[in-house]
Amino acid sequence: MTLDLVIRNKCFGGWQQQWDHYSDVLNCTMRFAVFLPPQVEEGDPVPVLYWLSGLTCTDENFMQKSGAQRIAAELGMAIVAPDTSPRGADVPDDPNQDYDLGLGAGFYVNATEPPWNQHYQMYDYIADELPSLIESQFPVTQQRAIAGHSMGGHGALVIALRNPQRYSSVSAFSPISHPSDCPWGQKAFAHYLGPDDGINWQQYDACELLALSTPHLPVLIDQGTADQFLSEQLKPGALLKAAEQAGYPISLRMQPDYDHSYYFIASFIEEHLRFHARWFDH
């Protein structure tokens, strides 16, 4: 597979990079960002945290706003941030140009409905194709963790719960916890997956997956109490209830006065990276 370097910048002794590649899964050219800590220049492969961003974001938002590289450099952890949807002139977008469907809003599912199914296979891209590429082309180990924000928090939880053998831990900021029961998720799922048949939607809903997921992974979730999307879209209470009913231990922390922004992420990202680093050692 051909990788094309877009840009690289020295950062906390390591390298912040952007790469383009053609994705067979998504049938288009994709871009991802990667931070390689200074340990790789000493010949030491490092574990990887995959970060999934939210609606309207690209690979750049987290890397430019979170400040995660400083701690990742200390911990010897690579960070990979993919884009949030397929891109390109041939990739369908929402005809109404709404931000919550189409480009920038892949929802980390494998679409089954036309025209989305030709490109919108983000679940397979994140779970399979991208890790295979990263592990074949970069000095990393097969130790993986996954995290995300909002739509990306939904994606991180779903992918980890469905593939617990591939990840040592999972964390999320303000995840869309119950997409089958919120406007963002219902709109996306109806377009990408078709009508709710009791199977297609549930396989991408963390609240539904908790009861089916074994073994249990370490889970850390931070949610701001001043988040404008808290009650209608995110529904952390539904996730906590589902976890309690399933006997699945999760740590859900409600953070007073924090909202949905990257200021929230920047405030707690160090704790999330240290959380994942602890479980890399197991």
Side-chain angles (χ1 to χ4, degrees), residues 146-148 153 156-157 169-175 217-223 239 248-253 255 268-276 278-279:
I146 191 166
L157 290 171
S169 53
V170 56
S171 72
F173 290 83
S174 313
L217 290 175
V219 180
L220 173 63
I221 299 170
D222 275 318
Q223 172 63 63
L239 186 69
Y248 198 119
I250 67 173
S251 176
L252 172 59
R253 309 188 304 188
Q255 303 291 0
F268 295 98
I269 191 61
E270 178 173 349
E271 295 181 30
H272 281 241
L273 295 190
R274 294 192 186 281
F275 165 77
H276 291 297
R278 288 197 303 273
W279 291 103

Side-chain angles (χ1 to χ4, degrees), residues 114-171:
W116 313 102
N117 57 346
Q118 295 301 307
H119 296 280
Y120 284 73
Q121 305 294 310
M122 287 296 293
Y123 175 88
D124 281 351
Y125 178 67
I126 300 299
D128 296 312
E129 187 179 38
L130 184 61
S132 294
L133 171 64
I134 296 298
E135 290 167 15
S136 67
Q137 300 295 322
F138 294 91
V140 300
T141 70
Q142 292 186 336
Q143 284 190 300
R144 313 178 193 101
I146 191 166
H149 172 234
S150 194
M151 177 185 73
H154 141 74
L157 290 171
V158 166
I159 291 170
L161 290 171
R162 289 179 57 175
N163 303 277
Q165 74 282 1
R166 299 185 191 179
Y167 302 96
S168 57
S169 53
V170 56
S171 72

Side-chain angles (χ1 to χ4, degrees), residues 99-115:
Y99 72 94
D100 53 359
L101 185 69
L103 300 184
F107 263 85
Y108 305 103
V109 304
N110 285 340
T112 57
E113 300 299 301

